[in-house]
Amino acid sequence: MKKNDLIKTENGIFRILSIEADRVLAIDCIRKTMPKFYPISSFDNGEFVDCLDADFTDMEDLSPTHRKVAQERYTMIASAVSVVDDIPKRNLMIEKSAEQFGMSKQSIRSFLCSYLVYQDVAVLAPKQTKEKELTKDQKNMRWALNKFFYTRNQNSLPTAYAMMLKAKYCDKYGVLLPEYPSYNQFRYFYRKHRKMENYYISRDGIKNYQRNNRPLLGDGVQEFAPTIGTAMLDGTICDIYLVNESGQLVGRPVLVIACDANTSLCLGYSLLWEGGTYSLQTLMLNILEDKVSLCERMGIRITPEQWAVNQLPAVIVTDGGSEYKGQTFEQIAEIGITLVNLPSYRPELKGTVEKLFDLVQNSYKDLLKGKGVIMPDYQERGSHDYRKDAVLTMQEFERIVVRCIVHYNCERVIQNYPYTTEMLDDGVLPYANTIWNWKKNEAGANLIDVSAKDLVLTLLPRTNGKFTRYGLKTNRLRYYADGYKEQFLQGGSAVVAYNPDNCNKVWVREKDGSFVEFSLIENRFSDMSLDAVQDIQRQQKQLVQDTMRDNYQAKIELMSFIETVSAKVNTTEDVQIKGSRSVRKSAKKQRHKDIGGVIDE
């Protein structure tokens, strides 16, 4: 008998989750009740079972929307999975997850039991069921709740019900109609569709919700992130001036870093001259990149175990900056990542990444004094102009930053990490990378496998497009793809992802979350950026507008000429029609010219 074995006894089929000296932790795969400890002798006469009959779809075959829901539900139970054999702590994690995600504890337990029985995240995906269409009365109830209840007026539920009757169930004389929904029906509809977040925000405002009603995430980082897979993102302007290859001053670069909250491991970085959403996109791609190859390009040799990160964290915590709240970056939630935007008055919850910035910058500051590094007195009156000291280029500085990150991950001793007995038994060294590698193989590691292509498509900016006879029109350009003939004929709109740096292709996002590639029809704009295309279109439009006056003037002159010629012609009341064929033949001979004369000249 070993962990994860399936054993069939006279009482059912059980999955072994943990084995101790004289007892085992097992879950009933038939009843799907919470796992508990059984005497090890209970399974002496049991038969081993190869697998369970699964009634769910594999993760690869799920639509992106259903994969997202499955990953989000696993995020809810990940902390409980990591401590499944510690029943008091497991119950505490279930309770905290229920509060954090606005779910009932029973739902969290149901997700946890389903996952433990099948050991597959795909079992958490929702079943494909058709939603029932609302009746006319239910639509009126929904309208009344949004109109009268979820407002700053803070009307009570009976008041909102009375207002609904007055607006929807009275005749023109204000007399109540014979048939109308009861208050109990109205209250049942409200409770069935109620969302507490919507309730608090709509009635009290977002500030009051953040201050008094939002889910509390605990006091410490380890409690906030009990396992790996929760990343903290932040950016800063580096305290150093850089030059270009010609020795001209460029300025101070922007460094954006993702740090695992549990182990403090640096997952990835982005070092650019610009911040905002683009720096976040490059940061996500850097997390997925092979770190051995990345370091090798910079002349730094590491082993795969020193920076074993090629998956995205399932939870991303930010400080609520505009670049994190923008629609483009929030689209990353479509691959199953949960975004947590911290309020401005809770900075202590991202202290791990703030400390990482300090340690990385302090690693090179003392050694680069006099080479562009900014000292604390740089804003004081009469202080030294550190811009004149700049000598490093961006490429040279990036090599230094990467080497500092490697030192931070692999050679910095973590003195206060809460070691478990299992970690001590396995001899896990107190470095961020060794703790990460050990945690990565443990239950509860909350990481997401995603390809770089899917990540880029998810994070591309989006706009609306229209299907027409001339193709898919978006950004004032036309695109086509095979298999969309009916859409081109019927018309309609679509959500389109585009690359601002190259207009050759766009991608239509289908309802199931997949992307379909469309190619550019107008080849004159091939390999051009969107800004360049729009500049050409603006110039053409301006050129046309500038020539409109000359066009109208030419039309006026043409009309005047025609009127002048026609005014000199004598009009007759009766034109002789008889013999028109012979007249035409004679006129034809008269008009005919021998073009051979041109050859003889």
Side-chain angles (χ1 to χ4, degrees), residues 476 524 534-551:
R476 298 176 63 187
R524 61 196 178 102
Q534 292 176 341
D535 185 56
I536 291 176
Q537 292 173 338
R538 281 193 297 268
Q539 292 183 29
Q540 181 176 348
K541 183 178 180 180
Q542 186 63 41
L543 181 64
V544 172
Q545 290 177 348
D546 293 343
T547 57
M548 287 304 297
R549 187 180 184 281
D550 295 339
N551 180 52

Side-chain angles (χ1 to χ4, degrees), residues 101-217:
F101 295 100
M103 302 285 290
S104 67
K105 289 187 285 186
Q106 185 58 37
S107 297
I108 301 295
R109 292 190 189 99
S110 177
F111 296 154
L112 178 61
C113 291
S114 297
Y115 173 77
L116 293 176
V117 167
Y118 292 100
Q119 298 289 309
D120 194 333
V121 178
V123 74
L124 302 178
K127 305 297 181 184
Q128 295 185 357
T129 56
K130 293 184 178 180
E131 296 183 2
K132 294 182 179 179
E133 188 175 352
L134 297 178
T135 64
K136 183 178 180 181
D137 286 341
Q138 289 174 333
K139 290 180 181 179
N140 289 337
M141 294 177 193
R142 181 179 61 184
W143 172 83
L145 288 171
N146 293 332
K147 181 74 173 177
F148 305 121
F149 186 74
Y150 293 118
T151 66
R152 286 296 186 95
N153 294 332
Q154 298 186 355
N155 294 319
S156 65
L157 202 62
T159 301
Y161 172 72
M163 290 180 172
M164 180 191 70
L165 295 182
K166 179 179 179 296
K168 296 293 185 180
Y169 294 94
C170 289
D171 59 19
K172 60 182 180 180
Y173 302 106
V175 179
L176 193 62
L177 298 177
E179 295 184 358
Y180 58 90
S182 68
Y183 175 71
N184 289 339
Q185 290 176 309
F186 183 75
R187 182 176 58 188
Y188 174 79
F189 181 83
Y190 158 70
R191 290 178 176 175
K192 182 179 180 181
H193 297 88
R194 174 178 57 185
K195 291 185 177 179
M196 293 309 300
E197 182 181 17
N198 185 32
Y199 172 84
Y200 289 126
I201 294 175
S202 62
R203 293 171 68 89
D204 302 323
I206 184 65
K207 291 184 178 179
N208 185 78
Y209 168 77
Q210 291 285 1
R211 185 180 300 111
N212 301 318
N213 305 115
R214 61 180 174 80
L216 299 177
L217 303 178

